[in-house]
Every structure is written in C-alpha cells, then in structure tokens.
Amino acid sequence: MFTKSQEQVVKETYAFLTKKEDGTSMKEEEIDKEIIKPFYDNLFIRDESLRKYFKHLEATRCQFARALTGLIETLGNPNIDKAIISLAQRHIAYSKNDKFTMAHSTFKDIEEALVAAISSALIKKGYPGPSNMSEIDNSWRSVYNTIAEIMKSEIEISNE
C-alpha cells in the first residue's frame, strides 16, 4: 500500500504534467502525446509481442489517458478499490476476447514503462521538484503496485 506522502507526490506530479502553460488542464489528446504515447513506446520496447493485442492503439491510448486520470483523481478515496476492480474486469473482458492473459511479467513491464514515461515527461517539462527523481519514481511505483496487486487478485479470481 502507498503512503499519504506518496499519494501526494503522484497527484502533484500528475497535476503538473497535465496542466498547460495557461493553467488549464490538458485534454486527453494532449495527455496522450505527453505521457501515454511515450508509455506505449516504452512498453513495446520492453515486450514487442504485446503490440498485437492493441488493434486500435490510438483509441486505447485515449482510454488509458482517461483511466489514468480517473485513478489519480480517486487516490485517497475509500472507493478506489471499486474503480480498480472495474478496470481489472475490463481487462479480463479484453483478455477473453483476445486470448490474452496478463502475466505477472507484463505488470512489471507496465510499471517500468509508466515510470519511465512519467520521469521523462517531468524532466522534459522542467518539473521544479527534487532533482533526484527517486522519490517521485518510488511514489509512482508504490501507487502502481497497489493498483496492480488489486488487478492481479481480480484476474486470479476470474480464472478460478
């Protein structure tokens, strides 16, 4: 489980990344360009075989932008488990349609690709936070791993 401090770091860095220079929030397409597309680029570098499961990658990227934003906004909310279980159930449905199961190694590849995309975007945008990105990376990893553990549990339940 992540700490309140890690939750705050994730919320602050995501807010920084998704805020435009004029102070308004980015639209999904802009979040896709700055964070989501680099995430998928990183993911496919780590495991090219995953690409075949994303037949409509552009639409998937927009869905991921919405899901990521929703999860970040839900951090700290007692109903976050419901949101994560709903996300897991959507992945289970996709999995059954595509004969794909999310292996535990896939979760690790996703973690690495996400942290790399977030770190790169923060550096590119000139994040005024700590110059040592380890606290930020660790916070994102902790939040991601909490979400991943709930998703893995839901996937295992569905496979019983």
Side-chain angles (χ1 to χ4, degrees):
M1 191 66 177
F2 53 86
T3 67
K4 199 72 169 153
S5 173
Q6 289 170 324
E7 174 189 327
Q8 194 60 36
V9 167
V10 168
K11 284 183 171 183
E12 286 175 7
T13 54
Y14 194 71
F16 175 81
L17 286 174
T18 58
K19 190 162 296 226
K20 296 194 275 187
E21 288 183 20
D22 66 5
T24 61
S25 294
M26 287 182 174
K27 293 181 175 22
E28 285 172 16
E29 299 81 24
E30 295 164 305
I31 295 170
D32 173 46
K33 179 182 173 196
E34 298 299 321
I35 302 168
I36 307 303
K37 184 182 181 310
F39 159 77
Y40 278 103
D41 291 345
N42 287 329
L43 182 62
F44 297 145
I45 288 168
R46 293 174 191 293
D47 188 349
E48 179 64 33
S49 71
L50 294 174
R51 189 181 296 274
K52 66 185 173 201
Y53 299 108
F54 298 96
K55 295 173 183 76
H56 307 286
L57 187 55
E58 195 169 313
T60 300
R61 290 190 336 230
C62 284
Q63 290 171 341
F64 184 50
R66 271 192 306 277
L68 183 60
T69 300
L71 285 172
I72 301 298
E73 290 171 352
T74 309
L75 291 177
N77 183 314
N79 293 323
I80 190 168
D81 285 8
K82 290 178 184 174
I84 297 168
I85 289 169
S86 175
L87 178 65
Q89 290 170 342
R90 287 192 302 276
H91 280 79
I92 291 164
Y94 302 145
S95 171
K96 290 187 177 162
N97 292 338
D98 292 332
K99 296 181 175 54
F100 167 68
T101 56
M102 287 184 70
H104 287 273
S105 61
T106 304
F107 281 97
K108 186 66 177 166
D109 288 336
I110 292 168
E111 174 188 350
E112 296 301 325
L114 180 62
V115 170
I118 294 294
S119 295
S120 177
L122 286 168
I123 291 167
K124 180 180 169 187
K125 196 167 178 182
Y127 184 66
S131 58
N132 180 346
M133 296 294 285
S134 64
E135 177 188 358
I136 294 168
D137 290 355
N138 289 336
S139 295
W140 275 90
R141 286 179 193 285
S142 184
V143 168
Y144 170 79
N145 283 312
T146 299
I147 293 167
E149 287 306 315
I150 295 169
M151 287 186 69
K152 285 184 227 177
S153 293
E154 191 65 21
I155 290 168
E156 286 173 13
I157 290 168
S158 76
N159 289 333
E160 292 177 352

